[in-house]
Amino acid sequence: MGVWIDTDLGADDLFAILMAARHGAIDGMSLSFGCTRLSEVVRTADWAAATFGWTMPIHRGADRALLGGLETAEAILGPRGFSARGGDPTTPAPACTRAGAAAAMAAWLAAPGVEARSVLALGPLTNLATVVIGWPECVPRLSRVIWMGGARDRGNHTPHAEFNAFADPEALAALVARGVPLTIADLTACRAVTIDERAVARVAAGAGPNATTVAALLGGYLDIALSRGRSAMALYDPLAAAALIAPHLFDAAPVGLSVALAHDGARGRTIVDRGGAANAALLWPRDPGAIVELCLSALERA
């Protein structure tokens, strides 16, 4: 099966990519704004490719939303889009990224030889929306898009909206309108699967050559929750990766999905209709412990 990853490459994106790479080849990767500005995302990608030996082509994509706005999570995640215990481990590395993410993804979708093509989407959906708008003939080639985004309940960037949906709701609306097969790991599902300090210690003691570095990033990720008085942190993007790797660990409920586009307090809210015509599948974790194990077993060997 062909897999493409679309990412804004924060810490949990990195964890998800390491999970996916451990379980199969990744055909390509596209980068977008989101956790931080695109220039910082590219810098992280150059470091990650050198550190983890990534060989898939990595393409620079959207630096802002379809309609031109720029929303990032820097206020929470910092200017690099992540933090790490002991300081930033992402030392400068030779540039490896290429331009033209949307064209590259469209070419991948159009290429012969692979029937089932999956996209693991870990940030705002701008790159993918650019593809389905500019190359609509590629839509039937998408077997599934597994997206970490949206919220059936409360949001995290606003009271109503999850960040990835809020950053470019028009992109999500474009995918829905064009019948892209969406499978969604939303905030409610992600909040049911958590890690705590024991996970950081386990990864730090791992046998992988980069276990110490990954543990520092995992610790910085956990610190987001600790700074808010919580002892555990939700696994966000790794949940979507787990749905790609081990779909049997999830229930998937068909739902009617839409998104609020008005420039008011509800902008970016994902609206889930369980009784209407289904255009998406909403995930729920059957076995949170097994999902955490999938994640940590990849990180400790990274």
Side-chain angles (χ1 to χ4, degrees), residues 63-78:
D63 65 355
R64 61 197 62 239
L66 285 179
L67 299 186
L70 175 61
E71 188 77 19
T72 74
E74 293 173 80
I76 295 173
L77 302 177

Side-chain angles (χ1 to χ4, degrees), residues 8-171:
D8 55 356
L9 208 49
D12 60 327
D13 300 66
L14 177 63
F15 307 150
I17 295 164
L18 293 173
M19 290 170 65
R22 185 163 180 79
H23 289 267
I26 298 168
D27 292 343
M29 185 183 301
S30 47
L31 308 175
S32 79
F33 77 98
C35 289
T36 184
R37 296 171 184 267
L38 182 64
S39 59
E40 294 298 320
V41 174
V42 169
R43 177 182 164 193
T44 301
D46 289 338
W47 166 81
T51 300
F52 300 103
W54 292 349
T55 58
M56 79 287 281
I58 304 174
H59 296 268
R60 302 184 298 278
D63 65 355
R64 61 197 62 239
L66 285 179
L67 299 186
L70 175 61
E71 188 77 19
T72 74
E74 293 173 80
I76 295 173
L77 302 177
R80 291 303 320 283
F82 60 83
S83 61
R85 292 179 180 175
D88 184 357
T90 60
T91 54
C96 73
T97 59
R98 315 172 188 184
M105 197 188 309
W108 169 75
L109 285 168
V114 178
E115 294 303 319
R117 296 181 185 268
S118 298
V119 173
L120 179 61
L122 306 173
L125 291 166
T126 315
N127 287 331
L128 192 53
T130 302
V131 172
V132 303
I133 293 169
W135 293 267
E137 69 277 8
C138 288
V139 173
R141 300 279 289 170
L142 278 165
S143 60
R144 58 178 173 166
V145 174
I146 301 175
W147 178 50
M148 192 275 115
R152 73 191 82 180
D153 300 312
R154 61 187 173 89
N156 63 351
H157 198 66
T158 75
H160 300 289
E162 179 272 335
F163 172 77
N164 289 335
F166 183 86
D168 197 346
E170 281 76 19

Side-chain angles (χ1 to χ4, degrees), residues 115-276:
E115 294 303 319
R117 296 181 185 268
S118 298
V119 173
L120 179 61
L122 306 173
L125 291 166
T126 315
N127 287 331
L128 192 53
T130 302
V131 172
V132 303
I133 293 169
W135 293 267
E137 69 277 8
C138 288
V139 173
R141 300 279 289 170
L142 278 165
S143 60
R144 58 178 173 166
V145 174
I146 301 175
W147 178 50
M148 192 275 115
R152 73 191 82 180
D153 300 312
R154 61 187 173 89
N156 63 351
H157 198 66
T158 75
H160 300 289
E162 179 272 335
F163 172 77
N164 289 335
F166 183 86
D168 197 346
E170 281 76 19
L172 173 56
L175 267 61
V176 170
R178 285 159 177 79
V180 171
L182 282 168
T183 299
I184 300 171
D186 80 326
L187 288 184
T188 305
C190 293
R191 287 167 174 153
V193 182
T194 63
I195 55 103
D196 58 21
E197 203 66 63
R198 292 170 295 179
V200 179
R202 172 176 165 178
V203 173
N210 300 297
T212 299
T213 297
V214 176
L217 289 164
L218 188 64
Y221 179 69
L222 174 62
D223 286 345
I224 297 171
L226 297 179
S227 69
R228 289 160 172 75
R230 303 191 301 269
S231 62
M233 181 67 177
L235 277 180
Y236 291 104
D237 291 332
L239 199 79
L244 173 72
I245 295 162
H248 63 280
L249 295 178
F250 295 84
D251 292 316
V255 297
L257 179 73
S258 59
V259 57
L261 300 178
H263 289 270
D264 58 21
R267 180 169 170 80
R269 178 189 174 204
T270 46
I271 302 151
V272 173
D273 181 359
R274 295 180 181 274

